Amino acid sequence: MTLATLLAGCGKVAVEEPTPGPEVAQVCGAVMAALPEEVLDQGRRSVEPGLLSAAWGRPAIVLRCGVAAPPGLRDDSECLEVNDVGWYAEEAQGGMIFTTIGRPAFVEVSVPARFAPESGALADLSDVVSQHDPVVTPCQ
């Protein structure tokens, strides 16, 4: 897996936009509307297309809402809990990818290694997830 790429010459972050069903899209709409202006003290960036995705900082910390379940996620996968939100962590080229688990919408956060420990970004985003993407199955 790789982290988001930058669109050449325009400074926007290019993100593969998720295409969830209507119920998940509604949850994601609420999540997207409540996202903070800063993550890890990094300001918001323009994202293309940006309907269900957001970015902060350089290199970009990227959030995508409504993604599919990570291929490696299993019932016995480790669950990292941050502010009452369970996250599945995967190493990626250039950083880490965290995906919420146990909620109607999968929210994915890609964090470049420059921001190590990468899980720190989750502290800035977990409250929004907790408020708008209700828990179905808590971390075990």
Side-chain angles (χ1 to χ4, degrees):
M1 290 189 189
T2 59
L3 302 176
T5 56
L6 195 62
L7 287 175
C10 68
K12 290 185 180 180
V13 180
V15 177
E16 185 179 327
E17 196 80 2
T19 54
E23 289 178 18
V24 170
Q26 184 175 5
V27 169
C28 287
V31 169
M32 299 306 296
L35 290 174
E37 287 302 311
E38 290 189 348
V39 170
L40 293 177
D41 296 323
Q42 302 297 304
R44 243 354 234 270
R45 304 257 322 262
S46 293
V47 176
E48 184 65 41
L51 299 174
L52 296 178
S53 55
W56 299 263
R58 292 181 195 270
I61 299 165
V62 175
L63 178 143
R64 299 185 318 139
C65 189
V67 299
L73 181 62
R74 300 181 318 269
D75 289 341
D76 64 344
S77 293
E78 185 175 344
C79 181
L80 169 66
E81 191 168 351
V82 178
N83 297 343
D84 298 323
V85 176
W87 298 88
Y88 172 69
E90 303 172 272
E91 287 188 31
Q93 183 180 355
M96 295 288 293
I97 297 176
F98 302 95
T99 307
T100 58
I101 52 179
R103 295 174 182 272
F106 287 100
V107 177
E108 175 190 273
V109 180
S110 302
V111 186
R114 173 183 179 270
F115 299 107
E118 294 91 331
S119 61
L122 305 180
D124 291 338
L125 296 166
S126 289
D127 288 344
V128 169
V129 170
S130 183
Q131 292 170 13
H132 300 286
D133 190 7
V135 68
V136 175
T137 308
C139 269
Q140 301 296 331

